[in-house]
Amino acid sequence: MNGWVYAYYVLLVACFVISLFHLEHREVKILSVLLGVSVITEVIVEMIGTEGLGFFIVYHFFVVLEYSLITIILRSGIRDYRWRIIMGVSIFVFVIVSLFYSFVLGGWHAFPGINITIESFLVICWCLLSFFSITPDSEASIFRHPFFWLTLAFFIYFAASVSVNAFYNLLLENDTPRARHFFTVLNSLSNYLLYIMLIKGVVCFRSNRISL
C-alpha cells in the first residue's frame, strides 16, 4: 500500500468515526452508512487484491449504493417537492440502468467508468441545485452551514474525478502501470478534499443551530 492510499484510508476511517458521534441528525446517519459501505468496499478490494481486474465488480455494486445515498442526502436540503420527486425517481432509474449496463451488456469485468460518469453528471446537477437551495440564517455565515460543506464536498469530488474515471479504461489499455499511478494520485487528492469537507459538514451539525 503506497502513501497516497494509506492517507486516503486514514481520512475515510476518521470521517466515519466522527460521523458516529453525530447520529442524532438524519443526514449524518445516511452519511455514516455511506462511509461504512465505503470502508467495507475498500476492505473487500484489499482482500481480493488489485493485481488482476476481478476487483472491479465490487465497484459496480458500490456505485449504485453510493449514488442512492448521496442523492438522499442532497435531497434532504431541497425544499421544492417537484425536484425531490425527480431526485427520488432518478435513484430507481440509475440503479436499473447501471446494473443493466454492468451485467447485461457485459461491462462488469471492466472499471465502471460509464456508470461513474453518469453518476457524476447527476450528482453535480443535484449539487448545483442544492447550492441554490441553501438559505443560511441571516446572522450565520454560509461557511457554518452543514449542507454547504456536504454539497461542496460532493461537487468538488465528482467534478475532479469524473474525467479520470471516464477515461480510465482507455488509459489501462495503453499503459496499465502509469494509468494506475495516475488514477491513484488524482483520485486520492480528490478523496482528501472530500473527506476533509465532509468532516467539516458533520461538525456543523453538532447543534440544532447552524453554527460552530
Side-chain angles (χ1 to χ4, degrees):
M1 183 187 302
N2 60 49
W4 292 102
V5 178
Y6 178 77
Y8 154 60
Y9 287 164
V10 170
L11 279 174
L12 169 57
V13 173
C15 188
F16 174 63
V17 171
I18 292 173
S19 71
L20 296 179
F21 291 94
H22 301 79
L23 294 180
E24 65 272 20
H25 305 286
R26 177 177 178 273
E27 294 80 8
V28 179
K29 287 182 181 178
I30 300 172
L31 178 61
S32 181
V33 173
L34 173 60
L35 294 170
V37 170
S38 299
V39 171
I40 293 173
T41 298
E42 298 300 345
V43 170
I44 293 175
V45 170
E46 287 297 327
M47 292 176 63
I48 294 176
T50 57
E51 291 302 320
L53 302 179
F55 69 96
F56 284 151
I57 190 173
V58 179
Y59 291 121
H60 282 272
F61 287 106
F62 175 73
V63 168
V64 170
L65 290 172
E66 181 183 52
Y67 175 75
S68 300
L69 294 172
I70 290 177
T71 300
I72 292 173
I73 293 173
L74 294 175
R75 184 174 178 267
S76 298
I78 306 299
R79 297 183 178 180
D80 190 322
Y81 76 94
R82 291 168 297 184
W83 282 113
R84 289 172 61 86
I85 292 176
I86 291 174
M87 293 173 74
V89 171
S90 77
I91 294 176
F92 294 100
V93 174
F94 178 78
V95 169
I96 294 173
V97 172
S98 182
L99 293 180
F100 179 82
Y101 174 78
S102 296
F103 297 99
V104 177
L105 300 183
W108 62 268
H109 59 280
F111 184 77
I114 299 297
N115 312 57
I116 294 176
T117 300
I118 297 174
E119 175 196 23
S120 300
F121 172 77
L122 290 173
V123 172
I124 289 173
C125 288
W126 304 147
C127 285
L128 292 175
L129 180 63
S130 180
F131 278 130
F132 285 107
S133 301
I134 296 175
T135 53
D137 182 69
S138 59
E139 297 181 357
S141 168
I142 192 173
F143 297 110
R144 294 181 177 179
H145 198 296
F147 271 105
F148 170 77
W149 289 105
L150 296 183
T151 301
L152 185 63
F154 293 131
F155 179 79
I156 290 180
Y157 172 75
F158 283 100
S161 63
V162 61
S163 58
V164 179
N165 290 328
F167 295 102
Y168 186 45
N169 283 325
L170 180 61
L171 292 173
L172 276 176
E173 293 176 1
N174 295 327
D175 192 340
T176 299
R178 183 171 298 179
R180 288 181 175 174
H181 176 71
F182 180 70
F183 175 81
T184 298
V185 172
L186 292 186
N187 193 55
S188 295
L189 289 174
S190 60
N191 271 295
Y192 297 165
L193 291 174
L194 170 67
Y195 294 119
I196 290 173
M197 292 181 183
L198 286 180
I199 290 174
K200 176 65 176 179
V202 169
V203 171
C204 287
F205 269 115
R206 70 183 180 183
S207 69
N208 291 328
R209 295 177 298 106
I210 303 175
S211 60
L212 291 174

